[in-house]
Amino acid sequence: MMESLAIEDKIIRNKAFKALVRSKKEWLIKYGKSLSGKTVKDTYDYHLMWESIDGRCKVGVGKFGKEYYVNTISWKNGTKGNNPNDMRPFVCIDGEMREFDSSFDHIFHFFQDVSKIDDKALEVLGCLMYRNAFLIDHKEINGILTYYPPQEAINYLNAVIPIYDGISIEAYLHYMEAIAWNEDVKYDTLGYDVHSGIGRQNNMLTYAHIISIFMGVGSIAKLCSQFSRPPIGVSAIPQSVAKEAFPWLKIR
């Protein structure tokens, strides 16, 4: 049992918890929009989110991302245009930018690979994805809302799978956080209601759902059915499945 993964607050039908999640999400979106950027394509203002203890690996976002430079992005009101707040998540190792695949395909393969290595590590990842959907591990540090997952979980993952695709598991988690942050900033900019689940929440709960299937708890039929209906490519884990797959969360 990993007690540090237990969710302290009651999250089911809890208005105070929902309000806290909303305020954290709005804080992060406002901060993301406020970051400076370079308006010449393929040049960026880089903003650091996380750095390894030895300083060799850095994760953050660069502005502006590719959607800043195109006029084919669909806005909620039906118009087409650019996304003026798009960011580009990055991984930097020993001072050099690392081209890193941020696609769903790569992330899903990551979970699959972990499932072949260590069952407990897979469960830990599922718990972290679920917690991240609700910004549970985001804490104010030096005036900035920062992703800070439980150290007990990080220590276990680093011990079992120290490196994946050339970076540490801890770095990978922070890279996924950068992607999730950018999703919320992008969708909010385009006029969508990120508090309805779109963006970070849907993505993280989809990751948790896929992990639950690798654990033998979730239903692949349910996943495929949801994947085929709008919004395409997302399938948030049902709460009943999350409770069964991730008892360490102590969801209530």
Side-chain angles (χ1 to χ4, degrees):
M1 183 67 70
M2 203 170 283
E3 292 294 338
S4 61
L5 290 173
I7 300 173
E8 295 179 3
D9 296 312
K10 178 180 181 290
I11 67 174
I12 301 173
R13 293 185 293 278
N14 184 343
K15 291 182 179 180
F17 178 78
K18 286 186 176 181
L20 178 61
V21 174
R22 173 181 283 267
S23 67
K24 285 183 174 182
K25 192 171 289 190
E26 289 175 349
W27 185 347
L28 283 170
I29 290 170
K30 182 178 180 181
Y31 179 57
K33 290 180 177 180
S34 75
L35 296 177
S36 63
K38 285 187 167 64
T39 56
V40 177
K41 192 174 182 180
D42 295 326
T43 65
Y44 305 91
D45 278 348
Y46 292 108
H47 303 277
L48 184 66
M49 295 171 56
W50 173 84
E51 182 176 354
S52 60
I53 293 175
D54 61 11
R56 293 187 58 204
C57 184
K58 296 178 173 65
V59 177
V61 294
K63 289 187 74 173
F64 290 96
K66 62 184 179 181
E67 291 185 9
Y68 180 89
Y69 302 99
V70 298
N71 291 301
T72 56
I73 305 302
S74 297
W75 285 61
K76 180 70 164 64
N77 62 12
T79 61
K80 297 277 189 178
N82 77 325
N83 191 319
N85 291 305
D86 187 29
M87 304 184 289
R88 178 178 181 264
F90 71 81
V91 176
C92 179
I93 301 176
D94 294 330
E96 294 187 6
M97 288 296 172
R98 166 79 185 276
E99 288 298 324
F100 204 78
D101 191 347
S102 61
S103 67
F104 278 153
D105 182 67
H106 189 274
I107 292 171
F108 296 167
H109 272 92
F110 166 56
F111 297 145
Q112 179 176 267
D113 290 342
V114 173
S115 73
K116 298 174 182 176
I117 297 170
D118 187 85
D119 290 343
K120 182 176 177 181
L122 187 65
E123 185 172 353
V124 170
L125 282 172
C127 291
L128 292 177
M129 298 301 107
Y130 193 91
R131 290 171 65 93
N132 199 340
F134 302 103
L135 301 160
I136 291 168
D137 295 320
H138 289 69
K139 303 174 177 25
E140 184 181 351
I141 299 175
N142 298 324
I144 299 174
L145 200 60
T146 303
Y147 180 53
Y148 194 78
Q151 194 60 48
E152 180 185 19
I154 295 299
N155 290 345
Y156 184 81
L157 292 174
N158 281 338
V160 176
I161 314 167
I163 299 293
Y164 184 81
D165 200 13
I167 65 173
S168 70
I169 294 297
E170 187 173 8
Y172 198 112
L173 288 171
H174 283 277
Y175 186 66
M176 292 179 70
E177 163 60 20
I179 296 170
W181 180 26
N182 189 41
E183 287 291 294
D184 276 352
V185 171
K186 288 197 305 180
Y187 277 115
D188 182 81
T189 298
L190 297 175
Y192 293 90
D193 180 13
V194 296
H195 304 296
S196 68
I198 194 170
R200 170 195 297 271
Q201 185 170 313
N202 275 347
N203 287 357
M204 288 293 171
L205 292 181
T206 296
Y207 299 156
H209 197 180
I210 289 169
I211 288 171
S212 76
I213 292 169
F214 285 131
M215 294 173 63
V217 177
S219 165
I220 193 166
K222 176 77 170 177
L223 180 87
C224 293
S225 175
Q226 290 183 324
F227 265 12
S228 65
R229 300 194 303 266
I232 300 296
V234 296
S235 177
I237 188 170
Q239 209 151 67
S240 59
V241 177
K243 285 182 175 181
E244 182 180 353
F246 313 121
W248 293 344
L249 291 174
K250 298 183 179 178
I251 297 170
R252 58 191 175 89

Coordinates of all heavy atoms in Angstrom, one line a residue, residues 72-147:
T72 N -6.0 27.5 -39.4 CA -6.9 26.5 -39.6 C -7.5 25.8 -38.4 O -8.1 24.8 -38.4 CB -6.3 25.4 -40.5 OG1 -5.1 24.9 -39.8 CG2 -5.9 25.9 -41.9
I73 N -7.2 26.5 -37.2 CA -7.7 25.9 -35.9 C -9.1 26.3 -35.7 O -9.5 27.4 -35.9 CB -6.8 26.5 -34.8 CG1 -5.3 26.2 -35.1 CG2 -7.2 25.9 -33.5 CD1 -5.0 24.8 -35.2
S74 N -9.9 25.3 -35.3 CA -11.4 25.5 -35.1 C -11.7 26.1 -33.8 O -11.3 25.5 -32.7 CB -12.1 24.2 -35.3 OG -12.0 23.7 -36.6
W75 N -12.3 27.2 -33.7 CA -12.8 27.8 -32.5 C -14.2 27.3 -32.1 O -14.9 26.9 -33.0 CB -12.8 29.4 -32.6 CG -11.4 30.0 -32.6 CD1 -10.4 29.7 -33.5 CD2 -10.9 30.9 -31.6 NE1 -9.2 30.4 -33.1 CE2 -9.5 31.2 -32.0 CE3 -11.4 31.5 -30.5 CZ2 -8.7 32.0 -31.3 CZ3 -10.6 32.4 -29.8 CH2 -9.3 32.7 -30.2
K76 N -14.5 27.5 -30.9 CA -15.8 27.0 -30.4 C -17.0 27.7 -31.2 O -18.0 27.1 -31.4 CB -16.0 27.2 -28.9 CG -17.3 26.8 -28.3 CD -17.4 25.3 -28.3 CE -18.5 24.8 -27.3 NZ -19.8 25.2 -27.7
N77 N -16.8 29.0 -31.5 CA -17.8 29.7 -32.2 C -18.0 29.4 -33.7 O -18.8 30.0 -34.4 CB -17.6 31.2 -32.0 CG -16.3 31.7 -32.6 OD1 -15.7 31.0 -33.4 ND2 -16.0 32.9 -32.3
G78 N -17.2 28.4 -34.2 CA -17.3 28.0 -35.6 C -16.3 28.7 -36.5 O -16.2 28.3 -37.7
T79 N -15.6 29.7 -36.1 CA -14.6 30.3 -36.9 C -13.3 29.6 -37.0 O -13.1 28.7 -36.2 CB -14.4 31.8 -36.5 OG1 -13.8 31.7 -35.1 CG2 -15.7 32.6 -36.4
K80 N -12.5 29.9 -37.9 CA -11.2 29.3 -38.1 C -10.1 30.4 -37.8 O -10.3 31.6 -38.2 CB -11.0 28.8 -39.5 CG -11.9 27.6 -39.8 CD -11.4 26.3 -39.3 CE -12.2 25.2 -39.9 NZ -11.8 23.8 -39.4
G81 N -9.0 30.0 -37.3 CA -7.9 31.0 -37.0 C -6.8 30.3 -36.4 O -6.7 29.1 -36.4
N82 N -5.9 31.1 -35.8 CA -4.7 30.6 -35.1 C -5.1 30.4 -33.6 O -6.1 30.9 -33.2 CB -3.5 31.4 -35.3 CG -3.5 32.7 -34.4 OD1 -4.6 33.3 -34.2 ND2 -2.3 33.1 -34.0
N83 N -4.2 29.8 -32.9 CA -4.3 29.8 -31.4 C -3.2 30.6 -30.9 O -2.0 30.2 -30.9 CB -4.2 28.3 -30.9 CG -4.6 28.3 -29.4 OD1 -4.3 29.1 -28.6 ND2 -5.4 27.2 -29.1
P84 N -3.5 31.8 -30.4 CA -2.4 32.7 -30.0 C -1.8 32.4 -28.7 O -0.8 33.1 -28.2 CB -3.2 34.1 -29.8 CG -4.6 33.6 -29.5 CD -4.8 32.4 -30.3
N85 N -2.2 31.3 -28.0 CA -1.6 30.9 -26.7 C -1.0 29.5 -26.8 O -0.6 28.9 -25.7 CB -2.6 31.0 -25.6 CG -3.0 32.4 -25.3 OD1 -2.1 33.3 -25.0 ND2 -4.3 32.7 -25.4
D86 N -0.8 28.9 -28.0 CA -0.3 27.6 -28.0 C 1.2 27.5 -27.5 O 2.0 28.5 -27.8 CB -0.3 27.1 -29.5 CG 0.1 25.6 -29.6 OD1 -0.1 24.8 -28.6 OD2 0.6 25.2 -30.7
M87 N 1.5 26.5 -26.8 CA 2.9 26.3 -26.3 C 3.4 25.0 -26.8 O 2.7 24.1 -27.2 CB 2.8 26.3 -24.7 CG 2.2 27.5 -24.1 SD 2.3 27.6 -22.3 CE 1.1 26.3 -21.9
R88 N 4.8 24.9 -26.8 CA 5.4 23.7 -27.2 C 6.2 23.1 -26.0 O 7.2 23.6 -25.6 CB 6.4 24.0 -28.3 CG 7.2 22.9 -28.9 CD 8.1 23.3 -30.0 NE 8.9 22.2 -30.5 CZ 10.1 21.9 -30.2 NH1 10.8 22.6 -29.3 NH2 10.8 20.9 -30.8
P89 N 5.7 22.0 -25.5 CA 6.4 21.3 -24.4 C 7.7 20.8 -24.9 O 7.9 20.4 -26.1 CB 5.5 20.1 -24.1 CG 4.1 20.5 -24.5 CD 4.3 21.4 -25.8
F90 N 8.7 20.9 -24.0 CA 10.1 20.5 -24.4 C 10.8 19.7 -23.3 O 10.4 19.8 -22.1 CB 11.0 21.7 -24.8 CG 11.4 22.5 -23.6 CD1 12.5 22.2 -22.8 CD2 10.7 23.7 -23.3 CE1 12.9 23.0 -21.7 CE2 11.1 24.5 -22.3 CZ 12.2 24.1 -21.5
V91 N 11.7 18.9 -23.8 CA 12.7 18.2 -22.9 C 14.1 18.6 -23.3 O 14.4 18.4 -24.5 CB 12.5 16.6 -23.0 CG1 13.5 15.9 -22.1 CG2 11.1 16.2 -22.6
C92 N 14.9 19.0 -22.4 CA 16.2 19.4 -22.7 C 17.2 18.6 -21.8 O 17.0 18.5 -20.6 CB 16.4 20.9 -22.4 SG 18.1 21.6 -22.7
I93 N 18.1 17.9 -22.5 CA 19.1 17.1 -21.8 C 20.5 17.6 -22.1 O 20.9 17.7 -23.2 CB 19.0 15.6 -22.2 CG1 17.6 15.1 -21.9 CG2 20.0 14.7 -21.5 CD1 17.3 13.7 -22.4
D94 N 21.2 17.9 -21.0 CA 22.6 18.4 -21.1 C 22.7 19.6 -22.1 O 23.6 19.7 -22.9 CB 23.6 17.3 -21.6 CG 23.7 16.2 -20.5 OD1 23.6 16.5 -19.3 OD2 23.9 15.0 -20.9
G95 N 21.7 20.5 -22.0 CA 21.7 21.7 -22.8 C 21.3 21.6 -24.2 O 21.3 22.6 -24.9
E96 N 20.8 20.4 -24.6 CA 20.4 20.2 -26.0 C 18.9 19.8 -26.0 O 18.5 18.9 -25.2 CB 21.2 19.1 -26.7 CG 22.6 19.5 -26.9 CD 23.4 18.5 -27.8 OE1 22.7 17.6 -28.3 OE2 24.6 18.7 -27.9
M97 N 18.1 20.4 -26.9 CA 16.7 20.0 -27.0 C 16.5 18.6 -27.5 O 17.2 18.3 -28.5 CB 16.0 21.0 -27.9 CG 15.8 22.4 -27.2 SD 14.7 22.3 -25.8 CE 14.9 24.0 -25.1
R98 N 15.7 17.9 -26.9 CA 15.5 16.5 -27.3 C 14.2 16.4 -28.0 O 13.1 16.8 -27.5 CB 15.5 15.6 -26.0 CG 14.9 14.2 -26.3 CD 16.0 13.3 -26.9 NE 15.3 12.0 -27.2 CZ 15.3 11.0 -26.4 NH1 15.7 11.1 -25.1 NH2 14.7 9.9 -26.7
E99 N 14.2 15.9 -29.3 CA 12.9 15.6 -30.0 C 12.2 14.5 -29.3 O 12.7 13.4 -29.3 CB 13.2 15.3 -31.4 CG 13.7 16.6 -32.2 CD 12.6 17.7 -32.3 OE1 11.4 17.3 -32.3 OE2 13.0 18.9 -32.2
F100 N 11.1 14.7 -28.7 CA 10.4 13.7 -28.0 C 8.9 13.6 -28.4 O 8.2 14.6 -28.6 CB 10.4 14.1 -26.5 CG 10.3 12.9 -25.6 CD1 11.4 12.1 -25.3 CD2 9.1 12.6 -24.9 CE1 11.2 11.0 -24.5 CE2 8.9 11.5 -24.1 CZ 10.0 10.7 -23.9
D101 N 8.5 12.4 -28.7 CA 7.2 12.1 -29.2 C 6.1 12.3 -28.1 O 6.2 11.7 -27.1 CB 7.1 10.6 -29.7 CG 5.9 10.3 -30.5 OD1 4.9 11.1 -30.5 OD2 5.8 9.3 -31.1
S102 N 5.2 13.3 -28.4 CA 4.1 13.6 -27.4 C 2.8 13.0 -27.8 O 1.8 13.4 -27.3 CB 4.0 15.1 -27.3 OG 3.7 15.7 -28.5
S103 N 2.8 12.1 -28.8 CA 1.5 11.6 -29.3 C 0.9 10.6 -28.4 O 1.5 10.0 -27.5 CB 1.7 10.9 -30.7 OG 2.5 9.7 -30.5
F104 N -0.4 10.4 -28.5 CA -1.1 9.4 -27.7 C -0.5 8.1 -27.9 O -0.4 7.3 -27.0 CB -2.6 9.4 -28.1 CG -3.5 10.4 -27.4 CD1 -4.6 10.9 -28.1 CD2 -3.1 11.0 -26.2 CE1 -5.4 11.9 -27.4 CE2 -3.9 11.9 -25.6 CZ -5.1 12.4 -26.2
D105 N -0.2 7.8 -29.2 CA 0.4 6.5 -29.5 C 1.6 6.2 -28.7 O 1.8 5.1 -28.1 CB 0.8 6.5 -31.0 CG 1.3 5.1 -31.5 OD1 0.6 4.1 -31.5 OD2 2.5 5.0 -31.8
H106 N 2.5 7.2 -28.5 CA 3.7 7.0 -27.8 C 3.4 6.8 -26.3 O 4.0 5.9 -25.6 CB 4.7 8.2 -27.9 CG 6.0 8.0 -27.4 ND1 6.3 8.2 -26.0 CD2 7.2 7.5 -27.9 CE1 7.6 8.0 -25.8 NE2 8.1 7.5 -26.9
I107 N 2.5 7.6 -25.8 CA 2.1 7.5 -24.4 C 1.5 6.1 -24.1 O 1.7 5.5 -23.1 CB 1.2 8.6 -24.0 CG1 2.0 10.0 -24.0 CG2 0.6 8.4 -22.6 CD1 1.1 11.2 -23.8
F108 N 0.6 5.7 -25.0 CA -0.1 4.4 -24.8 C 1.0 3.2 -24.8 O 0.9 2.3 -24.0 CB -1.1 4.1 -25.9 CG -2.3 5.1 -25.9 CD1 -3.1 5.2 -26.9 CD2 -2.5 5.9 -24.8 CE1 -4.2 6.1 -26.9 CE2 -3.6 6.8 -24.8 CZ -4.4 6.9 -25.8
H109 N 2.0 3.3 -25.7 CA 3.0 2.3 -25.7 C 3.8 2.4 -24.4 O 4.3 1.3 -24.0 CB 3.9 2.6 -27.0 CG 3.4 1.9 -28.2 ND1 2.6 2.5 -29.1 CD2 3.6 0.6 -28.6 CE1 2.3 1.6 -30.1 NE2 2.9 0.5 -29.8
F110 N 4.0 3.5 -23.9 CA 4.7 3.7 -22.6 C 4.0 2.9 -21.5 O 4.6 2.1 -20.8 CB 4.8 5.1 -22.2 CG 5.2 5.4 -20.8 CD1 6.4 4.9 -20.3 CD2 4.4 6.2 -20.0 CE1 6.7 5.2 -19.0 CE2 4.7 6.5 -18.7 CZ 5.9 6.0 -18.2
F111 N 2.7 3.0 -21.4 CA 1.9 2.2 -20.4 C 2.0 0.7 -20.7 O 2.2 -0.1 -19.8 CB 0.5 2.7 -20.4 CG 0.2 4.1 -20.1 CD1 -0.8 4.8 -20.7 CD2 1.0 4.7 -19.1 CE1 -1.0 6.2 -20.3 CE2 0.8 6.1 -18.7 CZ -0.2 6.8 -19.4
Q112 N 2.0 0.4 -22.0 CA 2.1 -1.0 -22.3 C 3.4 -1.6 -22.0 O 3.5 -2.7 -21.4 CB 1.8 -1.2 -23.9 CG 1.9 -2.6 -24.3 CD 1.6 -2.7 -25.8 OE1 0.5 -3.0 -26.2 NE2 2.6 -2.5 -26.7
D113 N 4.5 -0.8 -22.2 CA 5.8 -1.3 -21.8 C 6.0 -1.5 -20.3 O 6.5 -2.5 -19.9 CB 6.9 -0.4 -22.4 CG 7.0 -0.4 -23.9 OD1 6.5 -1.4 -24.5 OD2 7.5 0.6 -24.5
V114 N 5.4 -0.5 -19.6 CA 5.5 -0.6 -18.1 C 4.7 -1.8 -17.6 O 5.1 -2.5 -16.7 CB 4.9 0.7 -17.5 CG1 4.8 0.5 -15.9 CG2 5.8 1.9 -17.8
S115 N 3.6 -2.2 -18.3 CA 2.8 -3.3 -17.9 C 3.6 -4.6 -18.0 O 3.3 -5.6 -17.3 CB 1.5 -3.4 -18.7 OG 1.8 -3.9 -20.0
K116 N 4.6 -4.6 -18.9 CA 5.4 -5.8 -19.0 C 6.6 -5.9 -18.1 O 7.3 -6.9 -18.0 CB 5.9 -5.9 -20.5 CG 4.8 -6.0 -21.5 CD 5.4 -5.8 -22.9 CE 4.4 -5.9 -24.0 NZ 4.9 -5.7 -25.4
I117 N 6.8 -4.8 -17.4 CA 8.0 -4.7 -16.5 C 7.6 -4.9 -15.0 O 8.2 -5.7 -14.3 CB 8.7 -3.3 -16.6 CG1 9.2 -3.2 -18.1 CG2 9.8 -3.2 -15.6 CD1 9.7 -1.8 -18.4
D118 N 6.5 -4.2 -14.6 CA 6.2 -4.2 -13.1 C 4.7 -3.8 -12.9 O 4.3 -2.7 -13.3 CB 7.1 -3.3 -12.4 CG 7.0 -3.4 -10.9 OD1 7.6 -4.2 -10.3 OD2 6.2 -2.5 -10.3
D119 N 4.0 -4.7 -12.3 CA 2.6 -4.4 -12.1 C 2.3 -3.3 -11.1 O 1.4 -2.4 -11.3 CB 1.9 -5.7 -11.5 CG 1.8 -6.8 -12.5 OD1 1.9 -6.5 -13.7 OD2 1.6 -8.0 -12.1
K120 N 3.1 -3.2 -10.1 CA 3.0 -2.1 -9.1 C 3.3 -0.8 -9.7 O 2.6 0.2 -9.5 CB 3.9 -2.4 -7.9 CG 3.7 -1.3 -6.8 CD 4.6 -1.6 -5.6 CE 4.5 -0.6 -4.5 NZ 5.4 -0.9 -3.3
A121 N 4.3 -0.7 -10.6 CA 4.7 0.5 -11.2 C 3.5 1.0 -12.1 O 3.2 2.2 -12.2 CB 5.9 0.4 -12.1
L122 N 2.8 0.1 -12.8 CA 1.7 0.4 -13.6 C 0.6 1.0 -12.8 O -0.1 2.0 -13.1 CB 1.2 -0.8 -14.3 CG 0.1 -0.6 -15.4 CD1 0.6 0.2 -16.6 CD2 -0.4 -2.0 -15.9
E123 N 0.3 0.4 -11.6 CA -0.7 0.9 -10.7 C -0.4 2.3 -10.2 O -1.2 3.2 -10.1 CB -1.0 -0.1 -9.6 CG -2.1 0.3 -8.7 CD -2.5 -0.7 -7.6 OE1 -1.9 -1.8 -7.7 OE2 -3.3 -0.4 -6.8
V124 N 0.9 2.5 -9.9 CA 1.3 3.8 -9.4 C 1.1 4.8 -10.5 O 0.5 5.9 -10.2 CB 2.8 3.8 -9.0 CG1 3.3 5.2 -8.8 CG2 3.0 2.9 -7.8
L125 N 1.4 4.5 -11.7 CA 1.2 5.4 -12.8 C -0.3 5.7 -13.0 O -0.7 6.9 -13.2 CB 1.7 4.9 -14.1 CG 3.2 4.9 -14.4 CD1 3.6 4.2 -15.6 CD2 3.7 6.4 -14.5
G126 N -1.1 4.7 -12.9 CA -2.6 4.9 -13.0 C -3.1 5.9 -11.9 O -3.9 6.8 -12.2
C127 N -2.6 5.7 -10.7 CA -3.0 6.6 -9.6 C -2.5 8.0 -9.9 O -3.3 9.0 -9.6 CB -2.4 6.1 -8.3 SG -3.1 4.6 -7.6
L128 N -1.3 8.2 -10.4 CA -0.8 9.5 -10.7 C -1.6 10.2 -11.8 O -1.8 11.4 -11.8 CB 0.7 9.5 -11.1 CG 1.6 9.1 -9.9 CD1 3.1 9.0 -10.5 CD2 1.6 10.1 -8.8
M129 N -2.0 9.4 -12.8 CA -2.8 10.0 -13.9 C -4.1 10.5 -13.4 O -4.6 11.6 -13.7 CB -3.1 8.9 -15.0 CG -1.8 8.4 -15.7 SD -0.8 9.7 -16.5 CE 0.6 9.8 -15.4
Y130 N -4.8 9.7 -12.5 CA -6.1 10.0 -12.0 C -5.9 11.3 -11.1 O -6.7 12.2 -11.2 CB -6.6 8.9 -11.1 CG -8.1 9.0 -10.8 CD1 -9.1 8.5 -11.6 CD2 -8.5 9.7 -9.6 CE1 -10.4 8.7 -11.3 CE2 -9.8 9.9 -9.3 CZ -10.8 9.3 -10.1 OH -12.1 9.5 -9.8
R131 N -4.9 11.3 -10.3 CA -4.7 12.5 -9.4 C -4.4 13.8 -10.2 O -4.9 14.9 -9.9 CB -3.5 12.3 -8.5 CG -3.8 11.2 -7.4 CD -2.5 10.9 -6.6 NE -2.0 12.0 -5.9 CZ -2.2 12.3 -4.6 NH1 -3.1 11.5 -3.9 NH2 -1.7 13.3 -4.0
N132 N -3.7 13.6 -11.3 CA -3.4 14.8 -12.2 C -4.6 15.3 -12.9 O -4.7 16.5 -13.2 CB -2.3 14.4 -13.2 CG -1.6 15.6 -13.8 OD1 -2.1 16.7 -13.7 ND2 -0.4 15.4 -14.3
A133 N -5.6 14.4 -13.2 CA -6.8 14.9 -13.8 C -7.5 16.0 -13.0 O -8.2 16.9 -13.5 CB -7.7 13.7 -14.0
F134 N -7.3 15.9 -11.7 CA -8.0 16.8 -10.8 C -7.0 17.8 -10.1 O -7.3 18.4 -9.0 CB -8.8 16.0 -9.7 CG -9.8 15.2 -10.4 CD1 -9.6 13.8 -10.5 CD2 -11.0 15.7 -10.9 CE1 -10.6 13.0 -11.1 CE2 -11.9 14.9 -11.5 CZ -11.7 13.5 -11.6
L135 N -5.7 17.8 -10.6 CA -4.7 18.7 -10.1 C -4.4 18.6 -8.6 O -4.1 19.5 -7.9 CB -5.2 20.2 -10.4 CG -5.4 20.5 -11.9 CD1 -6.2 21.8 -12.0 CD2 -4.1 20.7 -12.6
I136 N -4.5 17.3 -8.1 CA -4.3 17.1 -6.7 C -2.9 17.3 -6.3 O -2.6 17.7 -5.2 CB -4.8 15.6 -6.4 CG1 -6.3 15.5 -6.5 CG2 -4.4 15.2 -5.0 CD1 -6.9 14.1 -6.5
D137 N -2.0 17.0 -7.2 CA -0.5 17.2 -6.9 C 0.1 18.5 -7.3 O 1.3 18.6 -7.4 CB 0.3 16.0 -7.5 CG -0.1 14.7 -6.9 OD1 -0.4 14.6 -5.7 OD2 -0.3 13.7 -7.7
H138 N -0.8 19.5 -7.5 CA -0.3 20.8 -7.8 C -0.3 21.7 -6.6 O -1.4 21.9 -6.0 CB -1.2 21.4 -8.9 CG -1.0 20.8 -10.3 ND1 -1.4 19.5 -10.5 CD2 -0.4 21.2 -11.4 CE1 -1.1 19.2 -11.8 NE2 -0.5 20.2 -12.3
K139 N 0.8 22.2 -6.2 CA 1.0 23.0 -5.0 C 1.7 24.3 -5.4 O 2.5 24.4 -6.3 CB 1.9 22.2 -4.0 CG 1.3 20.8 -3.6 CD 2.3 20.1 -2.8 CE 1.8 18.7 -2.3 NZ 0.8 18.1 -3.1
E140 N 1.3 25.3 -4.6 CA 1.9 26.6 -4.8 C 3.4 26.6 -4.2 O 3.6 26.4 -3.0 CB 1.1 27.7 -4.1 CG 1.7 29.1 -4.4 CD 0.9 30.2 -3.7 OE1 -0.2 30.0 -3.2 OE2 1.4 31.4 -3.7
I141 N 4.3 26.8 -5.1 CA 5.7 26.9 -4.7 C 6.3 28.2 -5.3 O 6.3 28.3 -6.5 CB 6.5 25.7 -5.2 CG1 5.9 24.4 -4.5 CG2 8.0 25.8 -4.8 CD1 6.5 23.1 -5.1
N142 N 6.8 29.0 -4.4 CA 7.4 30.3 -4.8 C 6.4 31.1 -5.7 O 6.8 31.7 -6.7 CB 8.7 30.1 -5.6 CG 9.8 29.5 -4.7 OD1 9.9 29.7 -3.5 ND2 10.6 28.6 -5.3
G143 N 5.2 31.1 -5.3 CA 4.2 31.9 -6.0 C 3.7 31.3 -7.3 O 2.9 31.9 -8.1
I144 N 4.1 30.1 -7.7 CA 3.7 29.4 -8.9 C 3.1 28.0 -8.6 O 3.6 27.3 -7.7 CB 4.9 29.2 -9.8 CG1 5.5 30.5 -10.2 CG2 4.5 28.4 -11.1 CD1 6.8 30.4 -11.0
L145 N 2.0 27.7 -9.2 CA 1.3 26.4 -9.0 C 2.1 25.4 -9.8 O 2.2 25.4 -11.0 CB -0.1 26.5 -9.6 CG -1.1 25.4 -9.0 CD1 -1.2 25.5 -7.5 CD2 -2.4 25.6 -9.7
T146 N 2.7 24.5 -9.0 CA 3.7 23.5 -9.5 C 3.3 22.1 -9.3 O 2.7 21.7 -8.3 CB 5.1 23.8 -8.8 OG1 5.5 25.1 -9.0 CG2 6.2 22.8 -9.4
Y147 N 3.6 21.3 -10.4 CA 3.3 19.8 -10.3 C 4.3 19.2 -9.4 O 5.5 19.2 -9.7 CB 3.3 19.2 -11.7 CG 2.9 17.7 -11.7 CD1 1.8 17.2 -11.1 CD2 3.8 16.9 -12.4 CE1 1.5 15.9 -11.2 CE2 3.5 15.5 -12.4 CZ 2.4 15.0 -11.8 OH 2.1 13.7 -11.9

